[in-house]
Amino acid sequence: TQEKLALTIANRAKHAGSFRLGAVAAEAEELLDDLRQHPDASRVSSAGSYRRRKEIVRDLDFIVATKAPEEVTEFFVRHALVESVIARGATKTSVRLHSGISADLRVVSTAEYPFALGYFTGSKEHNIVLRNRALQRGWTLNEYRLSPVETETKKKKPLREIPRVRDETELYRALDLDFIPPELRENSGEIEAAAEGRLPRLLEPENLRGTFHCHTTASDGRNSLEEMAAAAQDLGLQYLGIADHSRSSIQAGGMDLARLRTQVAAIRKLNETFDDFRLFAGVECDILRDGSLDFDDETLGELDYVVASVHSAFQLPEAEMTKRIIRAISNPQVTFLAHPTGRLLLSREAYALDVPAIIEAAAETGTWIEINAAPRRLDLDWRWWPLAKEKGVRCVINPDAHGVEKLQELWFGVGVARKGWLTRDDVMNCLPLGKIESALAQKRAR
Ligand SMILES: [Zn+2]
Ligand SMILES: [Zn+2]
């Protein structure tokens, strides 16, 4: 434990000033809502890495268009979430919130708003390309406006007249680009795609019809089947998959065969009481050290679906870990691979794994890959999804909820999917009840 403590302290130092998106989202959304209510604020948005839904953010940024910057600034610094004021100026004010994260407010005019919003949303790399596109047209682009390029002697005549820009869509249009959603602004191909009119129509939160991979008191969850089902219905979901831990996950209260069968029976019985809602009976089945599964095929075949997860032997060499997971997902009983890399943001590195090989195997076997939406995981990372999509791998977004209030963390998974360029067609749990059943059966049929 001495060693563990030292590691914890080292980790904390390494990650000082970094926050998980999920740790600051509630504060960010509350501030946004309250700024939007302010009578002097005509337009309000977040900006920065929070708006781009990066998994780790270092500060929060807010942009407000207003004719009364003093009043809006005063409202901001007096907000209940603000712990202290770091600096207060005419256009920029920095505060520290109770969570410890700093938040910058920028107050601008309505005319400046789209430019400030674009500039402070970033990323830097994305903005550099935008500025170059402006230069090619004889303009300079900054956080306030588009203006003609000036030379030392006289104003050079702009190559093209500067169009009117009232919002971000018109800003991109001025540069001959389709509007680029903030999540894609990482300079990883989005500008080329926007120039050619081939940006995908990204997944929206309301496209999700249900979700899988949730826990109940049958293993390490805090709520009953009934409570989880009610919470899912409250969120407007049509179905919820229950996947409690299997017997090898002793520390998580994993179920033995008898308890698994009791739970399946309880789910089947509960389903008789629903009209337009369904629980699916699954299990989060441990992938054992050699890649075999914690229950035999016959047992797994009694379930509606099977989640395969690594919860042990994290230190295997990369080749062995890769082989282990490929063996597991090659079992036709397995529906999807959960939290594929095992990372815990800001606390535990991913285990050594050949992710492209896993993606290849998932494509070959028709196994879905999870976006685990729990904000400490957000695994598989958004950076891998364009490759997975190209290979034809299907995605499933799950909260891995251990309590009713955690079901809403699906929202973070949607952010990851959008950053990964995914559409509703790429995400299995966009399928409605009536279609999802055959999709579940399909993997087994392969
Ligand atoms: Zn798990
Ligand atoms: Zn789980």
Side-chain angles (χ1 to χ4, degrees):
T1 46
Q2 194 83 39
E3 220 169 274
K4 229 178 192 172
L5 189 67
L7 201 68
T8 308
I9 292 167
N11 249 326
R12 206 166 289 162
K14 191 168 93 188
H15 300 303
S18 298
F19 297 80
R20 294 179 192 128
L21 185 72
V24 295
E27 281 183 330
E29 294 301 311
E30 187 180 334
L31 271 168
L32 273 174
D33 278 348
D34 292 343
L35 284 167
R36 285 188 183 114
Q37 304 281 325
H38 195 283
D40 290 317
S42 61
R43 297 165 82 183
V44 175
S45 179
S46 61
S49 50
Y50 179 78
R51 186 171 180 232
R52 300 201 317 278
R53 302 290 183 252
K54 280 289 285 284
E55 63 279 16
I56 302 294
V57 296
R58 300 187 66 83
D59 57 10
L60 295 172
D61 298 277
F62 301 98
I63 316 286
V64 175
T66 178
K67 287 194 174 101
E70 275 288 327
E71 283 81 348
V72 173
T73 300
E74 184 65 17
F75 174 78
F76 182 69
V77 298
R78 288 177 173 279
H79 195 281
L81 287 175
V82 171
E83 190 186 83
S84 59
V85 178
I86 301 165
R88 179 172 176 170
T91 58
K92 181 190 169 185
T93 293
S94 299
V95 299
R96 190 168 316 283
L97 305 183
H98 289 306
S99 65
I101 198 167
S102 61
D104 292 347
L105 171 74
R106 285 184 170 83
V107 284
V108 297
S109 70
T110 304
E112 292 165 341
Y113 181 80
F115 300 100
L117 183 56
Y119 182 89
F120 291 110
T121 296
S123 64
K124 274 198 189 82
E125 296 74 15
H126 177 90
N127 285 349
I128 287 169
V129 185
L130 293 190
R131 277 204 296 281
N132 285 336
R133 285 184 78 93
L135 282 173
Q136 286 162 9
R137 287 155 181 78
W139 313 327
T140 56
L141 171 64
N142 65 19
E143 65 266 51
Y144 302 116
R145 62 191 60 87
L146 269 176
S147 41
V149 172
E150 286 180 42
T151 60
E152 273 152 21
T153 45
K154 58 174 186 340
K155 272 194 179 177
K156 200 169 134 192
K157 191 179 179 295
L159 294 174
R160 257 211 265 171
E161 199 185 329
I162 294 173
R164 197 162 152 192
V165 171
R166 288 161 299 189
D167 56 29
E168 273 190 327
T169 303
E170 291 184 346
L171 175 55
Y172 281 97
R173 177 53 46 214
L175 301 173
D176 299 303
L177 297 169
D178 288 341
F179 173 78
I180 300 178
E183 294 92 337
L184 297 188
R185 300 181 195 173
E186 302 291 349
N187 193 29
S188 49
E190 74 279 10
I191 293 173
E192 296 80 351
E196 294 163 17
R198 53 174 179 81
L199 279 173
R201 186 165 171 186
L202 299 180
L203 178 77
E204 301 283 350
E206 55 271 23
N207 296 148
L208 295 180
R209 292 287 169 269
T211 192
F212 298 95
H213 192 177
C214 291
H215 296 272
T216 71
T217 46
S219 67
D220 59 349
R222 290 179 299 277
N223 292 98
S224 66
L225 274 179
E226 290 84 351
E227 289 165 338
M228 292 298 283
Q233 286 173 284
D234 283 348
L235 282 181
L237 300 180
Q238 299 176 343
Y239 55 90
L240 180 71
I242 302 295
D244 273 307
H245 288 283
S246 63
R247 54 194 170 191
S248 288
S249 274
I250 295 162
Q251 74 295 340
M255 301 173 295
D256 60 18
L257 187 52
R259 279 166 58 206
L260 176 65
R261 287 197 168 131
T262 304
Q263 196 196 37
V264 173
I267 287 171
R268 306 264 186 256
K269 196 158 168 232
L270 205 53
N271 272 334
E272 291 169 16
T273 67
F274 301 130
D275 286 329
D276 302 311
F277 181 79
R278 187 171 159 184
L279 287 175
F280 287 107
V283 67
E284 183 173 11
C285 190
D286 270 37
I287 299 174
L288 305 182
R289 195 189 177 95
D290 65 354
S292 62
L293 296 171
D294 208 6
F295 288 116
D296 61 36
D297 288 355
E298 203 187 318
T299 306
L300 296 177
E302 295 169 24
L303 304 167
D304 297 322
Y305 72 103
V306 173
V307 187
S309 303
V310 168
H311 291 126
S312 62
F314 294 129
Q315 68 295 338
L316 290 184
E318 179 178 311
E320 221 174 304
M321 185 62 99
T322 305
K323 211 174 121 197
R324 172 190 187 186
I325 293 178
I326 289 175
R327 182 179 168 200
I329 65 176
S330 300
N331 184 325
Q333 297 297 338
V334 172
T335 314
F336 62 83
L337 175 65
H339 46 70
T341 75
R343 76 170 181 192
L344 296 179
L345 289 166
L346 303 183
S347 69
R348 186 174 80 199
E349 296 291 327
Y351 36 71
L353 186 66
D354 182 350
V355 176
I358 298 296
I359 287 172
E360 198 72 51
E364 233 162 79
T365 58
T367 311
W368 316 346
I369 292 182
E370 177 180 74
I371 290 176
N372 190 297
R376 64 181 189 144
R377 293 192 183 271
L378 302 182
D379 181 13
L380 187 64
D381 189 277
W382 57 271
R383 294 162 184 83
W384 290 113
W385 281 104
L387 175 68
K389 178 177 171 152
E390 184 197 314
K391 299 285 178 186
V393 173
R394 317 314 302 271
C395 172
V396 56
I397 304 177
N398 299 310
D400 198 356
H402 288 70
V404 288
E405 75 287 355
K406 299 287 183 184
L407 279 174
Q408 300 176 48
E409 291 185 343
L410 268 175
W411 184 82
F412 299 113
V414 173
V416 174
R418 289 173 61 87
K419 282 194 88 59
W421 293 58
L422 300 186
T423 69
R424 78 195 294 177
D425 293 334
D426 301 315
V427 179
M428 298 309 290
N429 47 322
C430 291
L431 289 176
L433 205 54
K435 287 197 174 155
I436 189 71
E437 295 87 343
S438 54
L440 287 172
Q442 234 167 34
K443 167 77 202 290
R444 282 183 171 141
R446 284 173 75 111

